[in-house]
Amino acid sequence: MSTGQAVFIRSMPDSLTLPASQDSEVTQRRPSFLSTYSFGGAKDRRGTIDLATGQLITTEKEREDDLETVLDTSTENTGLQDLNLSWNHFRNKGGKYLSKGLGENPALKCLDLSWNGLEDEGAAAVGKALSTNGVLIELDLSCNRIGPKGALELLKCFRSNDSLETLRIGKNIINDESATAMMAYLMKLTGLKLKLLDMSDIILSNAVEPRIQEVKDLHEGLEVIHGYTDSYGKRKLVSYDMTEEAIRIMQEYCANNNMSMVDMFTKFDADGSMSVTHDEFRQGLKEAKIPLSANQIDQLIADLDRDGDGEIDFSELVITTEEKTGE
């Protein structure tokens, strides 16, 4: 939207009375709810109904021309610097459309797109859109179902960025292999200004630690967070319980999709027996795209099958949830 222009949507009551000077045809027509204004030195134009004078635009073309002026998006937005669009469920397709707009906002400094389910293609599109942004300081793409490919493609888009200081990509589906590849790529970015790489709740093995340390040694002052953390990004001083974390992720998924745990379980249960095999449970988690690693799923299944009969009853899920989370 061009600077100095705006669109206002106003509710007009049925009892609105137009001035007596208006002709009979106008008084028989209910005015549009949309009134447009242009200001800041531009020619004073009004669309559809002027709320101050009651004057009506008489030609459709004039109204369309006015809207084109007001909704002009060809001019770059140089005023928007902080944008929070978290928890909006844009998904893959929405992320691609969103990226088109992000590319026209080169002044963005802080962008939060967490909890939107962008997946690999959406994350890559966002990264590409921001690759020419030379002032971006903080980007949050936590919990977006981003896998190994998307995470690496995202980093590649910032190879010429010399301003990004904080990158949050926690609660995504990143394994040891992809994390190692990411560290190798970060070693190539000599101009990197990154101070925090937040991979909270991404569980990596000890084999990745040397690669992480190499990156930290090269880029002095860089902090890399990974592993289990609480909701504020601070490490807990208690031992990590993989099953507890997996259950909490499932609870977050249910809350995010306005469903209960029993609703989720029912989707996994094809025959309505309230009992599923290990493979059915694993497939249900995959189809729901609940962001759990393979290790988390294996441990979760082992703990949920309390009687070892090869199936998970809903009652076992309830009991284990109460034990692990107190809920």
Side-chain angles (χ1 to χ4, degrees), residues 37-273:
Y37 296 75
S38 178
F39 49 91
K43 181 181 179 182
D44 188 15
R45 300 172 58 123
R46 292 172 170 79
T48 310
I49 284 289
D50 185 322
L51 298 181
T53 66
Q55 295 297 314
L56 181 69
I57 290 180
T58 56
T59 67
E60 184 66 20
K61 183 179 185 306
E62 184 177 353
R63 188 170 73 88
E64 291 177 354
D65 289 345
D66 186 75
L67 289 175
E68 288 177 1
T69 301
V70 173
L71 298 178
D72 179 14
T73 58
S74 61
T75 303
E76 290 184 342
N77 187 323
T78 58
L80 186 63
Q81 297 183 2
D82 193 341
L83 181 60
N84 187 336
L85 292 173
S86 59
W87 292 87
N88 274 294
H89 320 301
F90 289 121
R91 308 302 189 203
N92 189 317
K93 185 176 181 180
K96 294 178 182 178
Y97 283 118
L98 176 65
S99 298
K100 295 180 180 180
L102 293 176
E104 297 178 359
N105 288 267
L108 273 178
K109 293 184 177 180
C110 298
L111 176 62
D112 187 348
L113 293 176
S114 58
W115 296 88
N116 273 300
L118 300 178
E119 301 182 353
D120 285 353
E121 292 185 10
V126 168
K128 184 176 181 180
L130 297 173
S131 62
T132 56
N133 183 314
V135 296
L136 187 68
I137 297 175
E138 181 171 350
L139 175 62
D140 191 343
L141 286 171
S142 304
C143 200
N144 268 293
R145 303 174 185 171
I146 301 172
K149 180 180 178 181
L152 188 57
E153 288 299 316
L154 178 66
L155 286 182
K156 289 181 179 179
C157 291
F158 289 102
R159 58 183 175 271
S160 60
N161 182 283
D162 59 357
S163 63
L164 189 66
E165 297 180 359
T166 300
L167 177 59
R168 302 184 187 277
I169 54 173
K171 295 183 183 294
N172 284 300
I173 314 169
I174 299 175
N175 56 24
D176 281 7
E177 183 179 357
S178 59
T180 300
M182 290 168 62
M183 295 304 117
Y185 190 78
L186 289 175
M187 291 291 292
K188 300 177 182 179
L189 303 182
T190 56
L192 189 71
K193 297 293 180 65
L194 202 63
K195 295 180 180 178
L196 174 62
L197 176 59
D198 187 347
M199 298 191 294
S200 297
D201 299 315
I202 293 176
I203 312 303
L204 303 174
S205 71
N206 292 334
V208 186
E209 286 295 339
R211 307 286 80 79
I212 294 177
Q213 190 58 50
E214 289 176 359
V215 174
K216 292 169 68 175
D217 290 342
L218 178 63
H219 301 290
E220 186 177 355
L222 172 62
E223 180 182 6
V224 180
I225 297 175
H226 66 90
Y228 180 59
T229 60
D230 65 21
S231 60
Y232 296 99
K234 300 176 182 177
R235 292 186 178 277
K236 285 188 173 181
L237 299 179
V238 297
S239 60
Y240 169 61
D241 189 320
M242 192 176 294
T243 297
E244 177 186 349
E245 176 62 9
I247 290 175
R248 291 193 182 279
I249 290 175
M250 288 194 297
Q251 289 175 325
E252 290 176 354
Y253 167 84
C254 290
N256 194 20
N257 288 275
N258 298 316
M259 65 170 62
S260 64
M261 290 285 274
V262 67
D263 293 331
M264 179 197 72
F265 193 87
T266 301
K267 290 180 177 293
F268 302 170
D269 181 18
D271 60 6
S273 64

Side-chain angles (χ1 to χ4, degrees), residues 260-322:
S260 64
M261 290 285 274
V262 67
D263 293 331
M264 179 197 72
F265 193 87
T266 301
K267 290 180 177 293
F268 302 170
D269 181 18
D271 60 6
S273 64
M274 296 306 287
S275 179
V276 296
T277 65
H278 293 185
D279 287 342
E280 287 175 332
F281 189 78
R282 194 185 305 274
Q283 184 63 26
L285 293 172
K286 180 180 179 180
E287 291 179 355
K289 297 184 178 180
I290 298 176
L292 295 175
S293 67
N295 289 338
Q296 284 176 312
I297 294 174
D298 290 342
Q299 186 61 54
L300 177 63
I301 290 175
D303 287 347
L304 288 179
D305 187 5
R306 301 171 71 90
D307 56 12
D309 66 351
E311 294 196 353
I312 299 170
D313 299 333
F314 180 69
S315 60
E316 291 177 316
L317 174 60
V318 172
I319 294 172
T320 304
T321 298
E322 291 178 347

